[in-house]
């Protein structure tokens, strides 16, 4: 099983062929099947003798892959799509073939060095100081959790230093548009979420944050504010500069969740929306969303990394001799120990194509989103819900309710046309499309929107 014999050679070649074809051709859309259908098609695959390489690959190619939706299909418009470059995707194969662990400098110095260069590019987009750094984690969810754990640790340390007791409850201030992973992180940490009101533009502002902090329940202390740089539902960038003022005055950690939208800092046409982001204490940007990296990859960056080290470093007899602060150990900066160097496909692609190509690709998706906005605005049966700030376009179809949207989405998927899913805006059903794939065209969107015309 571990020898590289003739059989392994054949297996490797057939897997490479499969990968080459997948990368060369238009991605299929495909769609889910029931467990029963899959059981009928795939049968048992885990057997004492093994079913062999060609058979396992055949069942994958014939049945398992087609029951899984390709997020890089140009009309995958739901949630936040993923559209990795070929360079990034294929480098994932290299990473997977190499058994390299990205936890520590000892294990993975070369990779950690490269990952840090890629992190630095994101930190530079945000104008964070030279001291900034962090690591790549699985996603925005893990990035938000790790950042908030660091923020609370810091708040505890400050209290200890000041000789103050711990409060009854810790809380984080966020808005109703904050991503669900912040609420999930708060549950993991057993802390409360205090919701601050958004303004008429659905934007969180410094004064609302200040009110939320002042209005906290007696016995509760706020240890962090989460501002969103590109909300998932509508692509709204919170008023970061004003929020940073409030955080500075209150002495509270500012975490900026740019999991989806942070990539747009690379686009000059919208960069000013992010003004103030340079003042954050921590930042999350997901390369697997809008920076053309395969799943799963999120950049987590701290202004002052030693604070994160104090919160996250794990101690054990076998770790302590190699984990110290003279070298960069990514596992010190998040809730993680063993770690895939998941920033490497992103690094490779960034190195291959250059940052100008990234800027242009992101600008291109923004232009397609603006054109989609115009299509919606021009259609008498459609209502544009907000002026898009980034690449999310949200709208309603006159006279439709949630069931109508769902039926329409189901039909588009069944036909293999597109993946869309309904959302909720102001407690009422709506549709949104999110464009991060440079291969999504205005024609793709027109093709989808035309099916909303009365009588279509
Ligand atoms: C997607 C998203 C997350 C969660 O990121 P995952 O990579 O899915 O874990 C967090 N925040 C925002 C704003 C997001 O769009």
């Amino acid at each position: 099983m571990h020898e590289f014999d003739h059989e392994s050679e054949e297996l490797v070649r057939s897997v490479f062929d499969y990968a080459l074809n997948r990368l060369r051709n238009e991605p299929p859309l495909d769609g889910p099947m029931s467990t029963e259908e899959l059981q009928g098609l795939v049968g048992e695959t885990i057997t004492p003798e093994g079913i062999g390489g060609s058979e396992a690959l055949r069942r994958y190619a014939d049945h398992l892959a087609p029951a899984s939706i390709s997020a890089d299909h140009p009309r995958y418009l739901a949630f936040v799509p993923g559209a990795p470059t070929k360079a990034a995707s294929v480098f994932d194969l290299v990473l997977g073939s190499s058994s390299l662990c990205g936890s520590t400098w000892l294990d993975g110095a070369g990779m950690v060095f490269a990952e840090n260069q890629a992190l630095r590019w994101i930190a530079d987009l945000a104008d964070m100081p030279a001291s900034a750094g962090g690591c790549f984690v699985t996603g925005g969810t893990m990035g938000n959790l790790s950042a908030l754990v660091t923020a609370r640790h810091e708040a505890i340390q400050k209290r200890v230093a000041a000789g103050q007791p711990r409060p009854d409850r810790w809380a984080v201030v966020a808005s109703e548009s904050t991503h669900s992973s912040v609420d999930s992180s708060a549950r993991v940490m057993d802390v409360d979420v205090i919701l601050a009101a958004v303004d008429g533009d659905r934007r969180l502002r410094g004064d609302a944050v200040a009110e939320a902090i002042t209005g906290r329940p007696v016995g509760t202390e706020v240890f962090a504010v989460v501002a969103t740089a590109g909300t998932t539902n509508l692509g709204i960038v919170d008023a970061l500069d004003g929020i940073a003022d409030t955080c500075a005055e209150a002495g509270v950690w500012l975490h900026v969740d740019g999991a989806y939208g942070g990539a747009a800092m690379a686009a000059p046409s919208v960069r000013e929306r992010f003004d103030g982001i340079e003042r954050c204490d921590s930042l999350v940007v997901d390369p697997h969303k809008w920076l053309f990296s395969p799943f799963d990859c999120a950049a987590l960056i701290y202004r002052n990394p030693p604070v994160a080290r104090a919160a996250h470093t794990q101690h054990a007899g076998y770790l302590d001799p190699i984990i110290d602060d003279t070298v960069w150990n990514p596992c010190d900066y998040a809730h993680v120990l063993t770690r895939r160097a998941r920033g490497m496909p992103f690094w490779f692609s960034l190195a291959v194509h250059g940052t100008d190509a990234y800027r242009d690709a992101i600008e291109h998706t923004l232009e397609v989103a603006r054109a989609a906005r115009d299509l919606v605005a021009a259609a008498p049966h459609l209502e544009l819900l907000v002026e898009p700030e980034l690449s999310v376009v949200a709208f309603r179809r006159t006279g439709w309710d949630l069931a109508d949207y769902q039926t329409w989405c189901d039909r588009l998927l069944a036909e293999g046309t597109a993946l869309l899913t309904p959302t909720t805006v102001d407690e009422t059903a709506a549709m949104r499309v999110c464009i991060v794939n440079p291969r999504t065209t205005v024609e793709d969107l027109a093709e989808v929107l035309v099916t909303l015309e009365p009588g279509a």
Side-chain angles (χ1 to χ4, degrees):
M1 199 168 89
H2 278 92
E3 297 314 314
F4 195 84
D5 52 16
H6 178 68
E7 224 174 289
S8 345
E9 173 122 7
E10 287 215 324
L11 181 61
V12 168
R13 284 190 193 286
S14 52
V15 169
F16 281 177
D17 280 348
Y18 177 87
L20 184 60
N21 276 322
R22 172 63 180 79
L23 291 172
R24 185 190 273 151
N25 300 326
E26 272 295 317
L29 186 63
D30 298 323
M33 290 179 195
S34 69
T35 307
E36 291 72 27
E37 284 173 292
L38 284 168
Q39 185 66 42
L41 290 167
V42 181
E44 285 309 324
T45 54
I46 308 305
T47 65
E49 302 80 21
I51 60 174
S54 55
E55 185 56 19
L57 184 60
R58 187 189 70 76
R59 292 196 206 180
Y60 174 78
D62 289 355
H63 305 304
L64 299 173
S68 309
I69 299 179
S70 294
D72 57 341
H73 187 283
R75 287 185 302 279
Y76 184 119
L77 300 166
F79 316 114
V80 180
T85 61
K86 308 303 172 198
S89 291
V90 78
F91 205 74
D92 219 23
L93 279 184
V94 172
L95 191 64
S97 309
S98 309
S99 197
L100 302 174
C101 178
S103 298
T104 63
W105 191 262
L106 173 66
D107 262 316
M111 295 192 301
V112 176
F113 177 84
E115 281 189 311
N116 284 350
Q117 287 192 338
L119 281 174
R120 187 63 243 171
W121 178 61
I122 297 175
D124 281 341
L125 290 178
D127 278 330
M128 288 174 82
S131 58
C135 65
F136 288 98
V137 294
T138 49
T141 300
M142 183 50 82
N144 286 340
L145 174 64
S146 298
L148 291 176
V149 165
T150 300
R152 181 178 58 181
H153 184 84
E154 172 76 347
I156 292 172
Q157 295 310 110
K158 277 195 204 158
R159 288 217 142 206
V160 169
Q164 293 168 331
R166 291 195 189 196
D168 298 340
R169 297 290 299 166
W170 285 112
V172 32
V173 168
S175 88
E176 62 183 29
S177 306
T178 302
H179 190 265
S180 51
S181 57
V182 170
D183 201 50
S184 165
S185 299
R187 273 179 278 136
V188 171
M189 296 168 68
D190 187 26
V191 300
D192 299 325
V193 177
I194 299 178
L195 285 187
V198 293
D199 72 2
D201 288 338
R202 302 163 196 276
R203 204 182 315 281
L204 183 62
R205 292 191 176 277
D207 48 3
V209 170
E211 263 173 51
I213 294 176
T214 318
R216 69 193 183 278
V218 176
T220 294
E221 279 308 320
V222 173
F223 69 90
V225 171
V226 178
T228 310
T231 60
T232 321
N233 206 27
L234 295 173
I236 309 281
V237 183
D238 287 337
L240 301 175
D241 214 24
I243 297 173
D245 285 339
T246 301
C247 288
E249 272 161 40
V252 171
W253 184 281
L254 172 57
H255 174 63
V256 174
D257 179 359
Y260 150 63
M265 289 187 292
S269 71
V270 292
R271 177 57 182 83
E272 68 178 6
R273 297 188 203 279
F274 297 88
D275 285 355
I277 201 167
E278 69 283 356
R279 299 166 69 192
C280 72
D281 293 293
S282 50
L283 170 67
V284 165
V285 179
D286 279 9
H288 70 210
K289 284 184 170 165
W290 205 355
L291 288 173
F292 321 120
S293 162
F295 304 125
D296 39 20
C297 180
L300 165 62
I301 303 175
Y302 300 93
R303 162 176 301 273
N304 187 12
V307 178
R309 226 166 31 229
H312 287 289
T313 299
Q314 298 188 23
H315 295 284
Y318 69 98
L319 291 174
D320 290 343
I322 63 150
I323 300 216
D324 62 40
D325 60 8
T326 60
V327 288
W328 197 269
N329 298 305
C331 64
D332 280 345
Y333 301 99
H335 183 59
V336 67
L337 187 57
T338 299
R339 183 181 163 273
R340 173 179 172 83
R342 59 189 70 256
M344 291 307 286
F346 171 57
W347 162 78
F348 186 70
S349 177
L350 203 53
V352 167
H353 296 293
T355 57
D356 286 356
Y358 272 67
R359 175 199 63 206
D360 295 347
I362 295 164
E363 282 291 8
H364 174 74
T365 55
L366 285 163
E367 276 161 26
V368 172
R370 287 172 201 134
R373 174 247 173 248
D374 292 346
L375 288 178
V376 168
H381 52 286
L382 299 181
E383 179 201 354
L384 181 71
L385 296 183
V386 264
E387 283 302 329
E389 285 187 21
L390 299 178
S391 68
V392 175
V393 182
F395 55 91
R396 288 206 181 93
R397 163 72 164 77
T398 353
W400 277 22
D401 62 15
L402 181 60
D404 295 313
Y405 291 122
Q406 192 59 62
T407 307
W408 176 64
C409 293
D410 291 348
R411 195 184 87 218
L412 289 180
L413 183 61
E415 293 168 355
T417 307
L419 179 75
L420 286 101
T421 52
T423 186
T424 304
V425 177
D426 300 331
E427 280 142 53
T428 309
M431 289 304 310
R432 66 183 269 290
V433 295
C434 178
I435 297 146
V436 299
N437 185 342
R439 299 183 59 251
T440 299
T441 61
V442 185
E443 291 71 34
D444 284 316
L445 288 147
E447 194 181 317
V448 166
L449 292 175
V450 79
T451 64
L452 284 171
E453 282 177 9

